[in-house]
């Protein structure tokens, strides 16, 4: 019975993963640009989830195959921004950044939500984090939330409710 249940769960995960990968084959990078607010985080590595420097929002721009990410952080109560440029690599929607970091777009409807996988190598260890973003400062996008739950079913779901003061400042700065 337990083997059958495990097999069924793994089978569902494989189907969901294949659907996500198929959806991103034709990623429209230009539709991805603009403001995104972080709503959820999933990771099996606790260190990643407890960082004092918490992302609140992103502003993405594209120039050819280069992705520029301007990030608004809440660093122990203070808002900070960082700008970093990466290049698309061998897979549509996957970008490499300095410091052995990668971002891969797993799923998006472009208008309401985006689910990204962030990977980085730090102190000889590889870390992976799944992040859920919406375009809105208030709305969590119900379709995106359910897609995020599907994608993170084997990882554990950690929603990251935040006031969003830094995300608001980033969005206002770019208007």
């Amino acid at each position: 019975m337990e083997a059958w249940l495990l097999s069924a769960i793994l089978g569902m995960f494989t189907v969901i993963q294949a659907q996500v990968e198929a959806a991103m084959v034709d990623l429209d990078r230009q539709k991805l640009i603009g403001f995104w607010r972080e709503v959820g985080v999933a990771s099996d590595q606790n260190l990643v989830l407890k960082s004092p420097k918490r992302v609140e929002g992103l502003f993405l721009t594209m120039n050819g195959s280069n992705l520029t990410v301007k990030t608004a952080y809440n660093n122990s109560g203070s808002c900070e921004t960082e700008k970093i440029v990466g290049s698309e690599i061998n897979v549509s929607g996957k970008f490499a950044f300095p410091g052995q970091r990668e971002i891969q777009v797993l799923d998006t409807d472009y208008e309401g939500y985006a689910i990204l996988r962030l990977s980085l190598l730090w102190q000889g260890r590889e870390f992976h984090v799944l992040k859920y973003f919406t375009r809105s400062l208030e709305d969590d996008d119900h379709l995106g939330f359910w897609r995020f739950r599907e994608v993170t079913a084997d990882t554990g779901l950690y929603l990251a409710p935040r006031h969003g003061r830094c995300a608001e400042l980033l969005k206002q700065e770019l208007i």
Side-chain angles (χ1 to χ4, degrees):
M1 175 79 169
E2 289 177 10
W4 176 83
L5 181 59
L6 179 60
S7 177
I9 290 171
L10 289 175
M12 284 186 345
F13 177 71
T14 303
V15 168
I16 291 168
Q17 187 175 9
Q19 289 172 341
V20 167
E21 288 172 1
M24 291 300 99
V25 168
D26 296 321
L27 179 70
D28 187 337
R29 295 183 302 277
Q30 291 303 313
K31 287 184 179 180
L32 197 62
I33 64 173
F35 175 80
W36 293 95
R37 177 181 63 98
E38 183 177 290
V39 179
V41 178
S43 178
D44 59 358
Q45 291 136 344
N46 202 20
L47 174 67
V48 173
L49 301 172
K50 294 194 175 199
S51 171
K53 192 173 179 180
R54 307 283 303 222
V55 172
E56 286 191 10
L58 305 174
F59 192 84
L60 306 177
T61 55
M62 293 291 303
N63 185 4
S65 64
N66 290 336
L67 174 68
T68 301
V69 180
K70 184 170 186 178
T71 307
Y73 293 98
N74 183 327
N75 189 1
S76 302
S78 297
C79 294
E80 297 178 5
T81 59
E82 175 185 24
K83 196 175 199 178
I84 189 167
V85 179
S87 300
E88 191 166 30
I89 55 175
N90 64 2
V91 175
S92 179
K94 190 172 189 177
F95 300 88
F97 293 85
Q100 297 181 325
R101 297 186 274 180
E102 292 181 355
I103 294 176
Q104 182 175 7
V105 180
L106 295 181
D107 191 15
T108 185
D109 69 353
Y110 302 106
E111 295 176 17
Y113 75 92
I115 300 169
L116 309 179
R117 177 188 345 222
L118 283 69
S119 304
L120 64 116
L121 186 62
W122 184 63
Q123 294 185 343
R125 282 186 65 197
E126 201 170 320
F127 291 89
H128 302 280
V129 182
L130 298 174
K131 295 195 172 216
Y132 166 48
F133 293 88
T134 66
R135 293 277 191 186
S136 169
L137 285 169
E138 293 86 27
D139 185 30
D140 291 345
D141 191 282
H142 297 296
L143 174 61
F145 172 75
W146 289 108
R147 289 294 295 152
F148 187 63
R149 282 193 57 178
E150 289 176 340
V151 171
T152 61
D154 67 328
T155 308
L157 177 64
Y158 305 93
L159 292 181
R162 296 182 179 87
H163 175 266
R165 183 175 59 90
C166 300
E168 286 177 38
L169 291 174
L170 176 65
K171 190 168 186 175
Q172 288 175 359
E173 174 185 315
L174 300 167
I175 292 177

